Amino acid sequence: MVPLQKRDQFDNLEKHTQWGIEFVEKYNKFVKERSEIEINYAKQIRNLSKKYQPKKNSREEEESKYTFCRAFFTTLNELNDYAGQHEVIAENLTSQIFIELTRYLQELKAERKTHFHDGRKAQQYIESSWKQLESCKRRFERDCKEADRAQQYFEKMDADINVTKADVEKARQQAQMRHQMASDSKGDYSSYLQKFNQEQNDHYHTIIPNIFQKLQDMEEKRIERVGACMKTFAEVDRQVLPIVGKCLDGMTTAAESIEPKTDSQQVVESFKSGFEPPSDVEFEDYGQAMKRTVSENSLSNSKESKEKPAGKSKPKLWPFIKNKNKLMSLLTSPRQPPPAPPASSLPSPSAVPNDPQSPKQHKEPLSHRLNDFMASKPKMHCLRSLRRGGSGPEDFSHLPPEQRRKKLQGKIDDLNKDIHKEMDQRDALTKMKDVYIKNPQMGDPASVDPRLTEIGQNIEKLQAEVQKFEGWLAEVEERMPSKSDSHRRSGLYEPQSSVAVSNNCAQDRESPDGSYTEEQNTETQVKANINPNPNPNPNPIPTTMPDDEEFDDDDEPLATIGTCKALYPFEGHNEGTIAVAEGELLYVIEEDKGDGWTRVRRNQDEEGYVPTSYIEVNLEPNAKGQW
C-alpha cells in the first residue's frame, strides 16, 4: 500500500534527523570540554607564573638588579600574557561556538518537531480519507448485493402462481428500494473516490514533498552550521597566534638581554666593603726581654698575666656567664658615637677629665673588649638578634662603609622622590584652590586647606629625614679611606716597632652583634702612634677574665666607683642612654672605655649611659680600672 511506504520513509527520516541533532550536541560538548581544558591550562600557567614571581622582600629586590633575574621575571610576565591568550581562546570558543550551538540546537529541535508534526498530520489525514473511501466502497458493494437479492426474490415471487398479487407488489417495491440504495451508494462512492484521489494527489505531490524539502533544508543548514563552527574552532586559535608569537619573542629577547659581565660586576659592587686591606704584620722579637709600658687604658693585668698567661686562658661560653650586669652593660652600650657638647659653652680640657678626644684617656673600643671576651666562639652572631631585635639600625651602622654609603644614598633618593610627590600634590591642590577662589560654584576653597596643611607637614618631616640621612652620609664619606690616606697611614705604621699589632683584623672591624663598625683598628693604631700614653695606668684591666669572675653567681648591681656632675642637659633618646639635667649629681658605675660614653646611676633601678664630654667625673682613688 502506498501510504504505508511513505510512512516508512517518514520513520527513516525521523531517525536520521534525530541522529543529526545528537551529532551537533556531541560536537557542542566537545567544544565545551576543549574550552574547559584551555581555562584549566591558563589557570595552571598563571599559578606557575605567580608562584615564581618575586616576593615583596629585600632578597628579591636585590635579585632584580641582575640581568638573568630580570630576564626570568620578564619570562614570567610573558608567560602570564601567554596564559591570557589561552583564556581568550576559551572565551571565544564558549561565546562563538558553544553558546551559539546551544541556541541553534533549541531552534533545530523545534523546527524538526514542527516538520514531523505536519508530516504526521498529513499522513493521518490521508489515511483517514482512505478509510472513508473504503467504507463507501464496502457500503456500495453491500447495497448492490442487497439489490440483487431483492430483484431475485421479486422475480421468484412473480413467477410463483400461488403467491398473491399483494406479496408480489411488496417484493417489487423492496427490489426497487434496494436498487435505489445501491444507486445512491454508487454515487457517494464515486464522489468520495474522486475527492480521495485529489487529496491523495495533493498529499504525495505537494504536501509531503514540501515537508521533505523543509527537512532537507533543515539538514543542510545543520551541516553548514557545524562546518562553520569547525572553521571558527580553528580561527579562534589562529587569532591569538600573533600575540602568542609576541610573548615568545619577548621571552627570547629577555634571554638575549642577559649580560654575565654586568651581573658579575653587580656582585662586586654589592659586596664591596670599602675597608682598607690590613697592613703587614710586624715581627715581634720574643728573644729579648721586653718591658711593657702599662698605660692607663690598657686591658692587660701584668700580675695575672704572669700567673695565668692569656694564650692559655680557657675560653668560656658566654651563655653560661652568671654575672649578667657585665654582659648586659656591653650589649646595651649605645651604638652611635656620643654627641658633641654644646658649642656655646665648651668646658676646658681640665673640666672634662674623661673626654674621649683627650690623648691622655685613650680607651680601647667596646668592640675590642667584647671581641676579646667572645673570641673564637662560633655562636656569637646570636647577639645580633639579642641587641637589634632582628633588624638593622636606622643609620645602617651595622654595614661596611661602602655598603652603608650606598644604603644611605638610596634612602636619600627615596625620600627625595617622596618629597617631589608631595610637592606635586601641593601644587595640584594649590591650582584647585585658585580655581575654587575664581569660581566659587565649583567648590569651597577652605576645603582644600586641611590637606595643604597636612602635605606641608609631611614635606617638613621628609626634609628633616633627608637632612638626618645626609648628615650620616657625610659622616661616612668623611671616614671612608682614600688613596692618599692609605699612603699616609702606611707610613705611620713603619716606625711602630715597639707596639704589638693585632692580627685579628676581622674582629677589629666587627661589632659585638656580628656586624661591622666604623671604628677601625687602623684609626686606633694611628692615634696610639701620634699620642703615646704618657700616664700609664697603675691598675691595668685584665684582657681575659678569670674563671671565678666569668662564672660569678652574684647578680648584684655594679658598685659605685665615683660621682659626676652634669655640665649640660642630655635628652637620652637612644637605647641604653639616660636623660640628665644640667647640674644633676649622679653615681658613676662604669667609666669611659674609649667609646665616649660613661655609665651612671640615678637610683637603684634607673641607670644608663651619658656622653663623657657632658659630665665632670670624680672617681674614687681605688676605682681605676674596675670592670
Side-chain angles (χ1 to χ4, degrees), residues 434-494:
D434 294 340
V435 172
Y436 288 169
I437 292 174
K438 295 179 181 178
N439 301 307
Q441 67 274 10
M442 297 183 66
D444 185 12
S447 62
V448 187
D449 293 337
R451 180 57 182 164
L452 286 174
T453 304
E454 181 182 355
I455 292 176
Q457 295 175 355
N458 293 338
I459 293 176
E460 292 178 359
K461 292 179 181 178
L462 291 172
Q463 289 176 346
E465 288 288 323
V466 169
Q467 293 178 359
K468 180 174 64 175
F469 281 96
E470 285 179 346
W472 287 333
L473 179 61
E475 179 184 353
V476 172
E477 292 178 346
E478 182 179 341
R479 294 189 180 188
M480 285 185 64
S482 60
K483 293 184 179 180
S484 60
D485 294 339
S486 300
H487 292 302
R488 184 175 66 252
R489 291 182 181 179
S490 62
L492 291 172
Y493 283 126
E494 294 175 358

Side-chain angles (χ1 to χ4, degrees), residues 188-405:
D188 294 340
Y189 172 69
S190 176
S191 62
Y192 204 86
L193 179 62
Q194 185 179 0
K195 178 183 177 183
F196 174 77
N197 288 333
Q198 182 65 36
E199 291 177 351
Q200 181 177 250
N201 185 58
D202 293 339
H203 177 79
Y204 288 106
H205 290 85
T206 304
I207 298 175
I208 295 300
N210 288 338
I211 294 175
F212 284 171
Q213 185 64 41
K214 291 179 181 178
L215 290 173
Q216 183 178 355
D217 295 341
M218 181 189 72
E219 278 293 293
E220 291 176 356
K221 290 180 181 179
R222 176 186 65 80
I223 297 171
E224 182 182 1
R225 191 63 173 270
V226 171
C229 291
M230 290 182 179
K231 184 178 180 180
T232 305
F233 185 85
E235 290 296 328
V236 165
D237 268 350
R238 184 175 288 107
Q239 289 173 0
V240 301
L241 286 180
I243 303 179
V244 171
K246 290 182 179 179
C247 294
L248 298 178
D249 293 341
M251 296 180 188
T252 304
T253 304
E256 293 174 351
S257 67
I258 296 176
E259 299 177 358
K261 292 186 178 181
T262 303
D263 291 343
S264 62
Q265 188 62 31
Q266 287 283 352
V267 177
V268 173
E269 293 295 329
S270 298
F271 298 104
K272 185 178 179 181
S273 64
F275 287 121
E276 287 187 40
S279 60
D280 296 339
V281 179
E282 296 183 2
F283 176 75
E284 298 184 12
D285 191 358
Y286 289 98
Q288 299 178 0
M290 301 177 62
K291 296 181 180 181
R292 303 180 63 183
T293 303
V294 182
S295 61
E296 184 182 1
N297 62 346
S298 175
L299 294 178
S300 63
N301 191 327
S302 59
K303 180 179 179 180
E304 292 184 1
S305 64
K306 292 180 181 179
E307 297 175 357
K308 187 176 181 181
K312 297 181 180 180
S313 61
K314 187 165 57 176
K316 304 298 179 182
L317 297 177
W318 70 268
F320 299 98
I321 295 177
K322 300 301 182 180
N323 196 340
K324 302 179 180 58
N325 291 327
K326 296 179 181 179
L327 178 61
M328 294 310 296
S329 67
L330 298 173
L331 300 181
T332 58
S333 178
R335 301 175 57 87
Q336 301 179 358
S344 59
S345 59
L346 288 174
S348 62
S350 60
V352 188
N354 286 354
D355 189 355
Q357 305 297 330
S358 176
K360 297 181 180 181
Q361 296 293 334
H362 177 70
K363 303 294 183 180
E364 188 174 3
L366 177 61
S367 61
H368 294 187
R369 293 189 285 112
L370 192 57
N371 282 325
D372 291 338
F373 178 69
M374 301 185 301
S376 303
K377 300 296 190 298
K379 297 183 179 180
M380 289 305 101
H381 292 284
C382 64
L383 288 176
R384 181 183 305 173
S385 59
L386 178 63
R387 182 174 178 184
R388 296 188 304 174
S391 60
E394 186 181 10
D395 60 349
F396 305 107
S397 58
H398 63 292
L399 297 176
E402 182 68 22
Q403 302 301 321
R404 184 185 181 192
R405 182 187 65 80

Side-chain angles (χ1 to χ4, degrees), residues 154 157-158 160 163-173:
F154 167 70
M157 291 293 290
D158 188 41
D160 190 359
V163 177
T164 61
K165 189 176 182 180
D167 293 337
V168 172
E169 184 63 23
K170 184 177 178 181
R172 184 181 64 81
Q173 292 177 355

Side-chain angles (χ1 to χ4, degrees), residues 92-109:
N92 290 339
L93 288 176
T94 302
S95 61
Q96 298 180 17
I97 298 180
F98 178 75
I99 295 178
E100 294 296 328
L101 272 185
T102 301
R103 186 183 301 112
Y104 175 70
L105 277 171
Q106 299 297 328
E107 298 174 356
L108 182 63
K109 290 179 180 179

